[in-house]
Amino acid sequence: AVYMYEWDQPRADKLSRYLAINRDLLSEIVDLDTVATMLRPEAIASVEAQLQHSSEGSRARSPEELMELLLRVGDLSEEEIVARCATDGRAMLHALERDGRAARVEFPGGPRWVAAEEQPLYAQLIRDQNARHVMKRYLQSHGPVGSRQLAERFGIREDRVQSLASTFNADAKIISGRFR
């Protein structure tokens, strides 16, 4: 009876259970400061390409998939969007803009596109809750990123970025350390 329902659990649930390792236990086993010496740069680049939907087979093929990508990854420049589309990214972007589903937001480094429903979130990055949400999503969909990069991307002071990042709890699936 113990093994009767062993294979009934969805595969994704089983994988997520394996990934939910206690970070304290992990830090006892592996010194997080030495992780950089164990990770291959090409492995980091491969994972980041998958997270960013810029790898072959994961690029957006329709305006609907591009919309999903904006919701999943967050703000993207027009060039970043083109790199993440299997076909004409500019045409898909303009279709989303025409339908009112994508909006252009000005940042210190230039304009970027966001899902229209998230435009107020980006317009008020002065609020800690909004900045924390945007930073968390950015960190979860990118490889190792420094606080200076985040500060420059979102126009936030670096000390504020570090302060907000320190409030991420274990369920944020974000680890601080040196990885490159």
Side-chain angles (χ1 to χ4, degrees):
V2 173
Y3 301 105
M4 186 183 320
Y5 300 107
E6 180 179 6
W7 304 107
D8 289 349
Q9 186 177 20
R11 181 173 162 81
D13 289 350
K14 194 181 280 188
L15 290 175
S16 67
R17 188 180 59 202
Y18 294 139
L19 294 175
I21 295 175
N22 182 332
R23 292 177 195 275
D24 294 331
L25 179 61
L26 181 62
S27 66
E28 288 178 19
I29 298 170
V30 177
D31 180 19
L32 293 179
D33 293 330
T34 62
V35 170
T37 61
M38 296 187 298
L39 294 175
R40 294 188 338 243
E42 58 271 11
I44 293 173
S46 174
V47 170
E48 187 168 19
Q50 291 172 3
L51 292 171
Q52 282 288 299
H53 297 273
S54 60
S55 62
E56 198 61 42
S58 66
R59 295 185 179 117
R61 298 167 296 191
S62 68
E64 288 71 28
E65 288 183 6
L66 178 57
M67 182 66 189
E68 178 66 29
L69 196 139
L70 285 172
L71 289 169
R72 196 174 289 166
V73 175
D75 58 284
L76 295 170
S77 69
E78 193 166 323
E79 293 77 25
E80 290 171 328
I81 287 173
V82 168
R84 287 160 180 77
C85 291
T87 59
D88 187 4
R90 286 183 175 84
M92 287 192 279
L93 178 60
H94 294 302
L96 290 177
E97 180 184 27
R98 187 176 54 250
D99 294 344
R101 295 189 291 167
R104 186 176 158 148
V105 176
E106 292 298 324
F107 286 93
R112 291 197 292 273
W113 292 88
V114 300
E117 62 200 56
E118 292 189 330
Q119 190 174 12
L121 179 76
Y122 284 90
Q124 296 182 1
L125 286 178
I126 191 95
R127 296 180 58 203
D128 283 354
Q129 181 180 359
N130 293 359
R132 192 177 299 115
H133 176 78
V134 168
M135 283 175 40
K136 179 179 170 184
R137 177 172 50 193
Y138 187 85
L139 290 169
Q140 288 176 333
S141 63
H142 286 75
V145 176
S147 57
R148 179 174 293 143
Q149 282 179 278
L150 286 170
E152 290 172 359
R153 181 163 181 96
F154 297 112
I156 301 172
R157 290 185 339 268
E158 190 173 353
D159 61 331
R160 183 169 175 233
V161 167
Q162 292 171 350
S163 172
L164 291 171
S166 69
T167 65
F168 293 140
N169 52 17
D171 68 331
K173 297 179 182 146
I174 296 169
I175 299 174
S176 64
R178 185 183 168 114
F179 301 100
R180 292 188 183 187

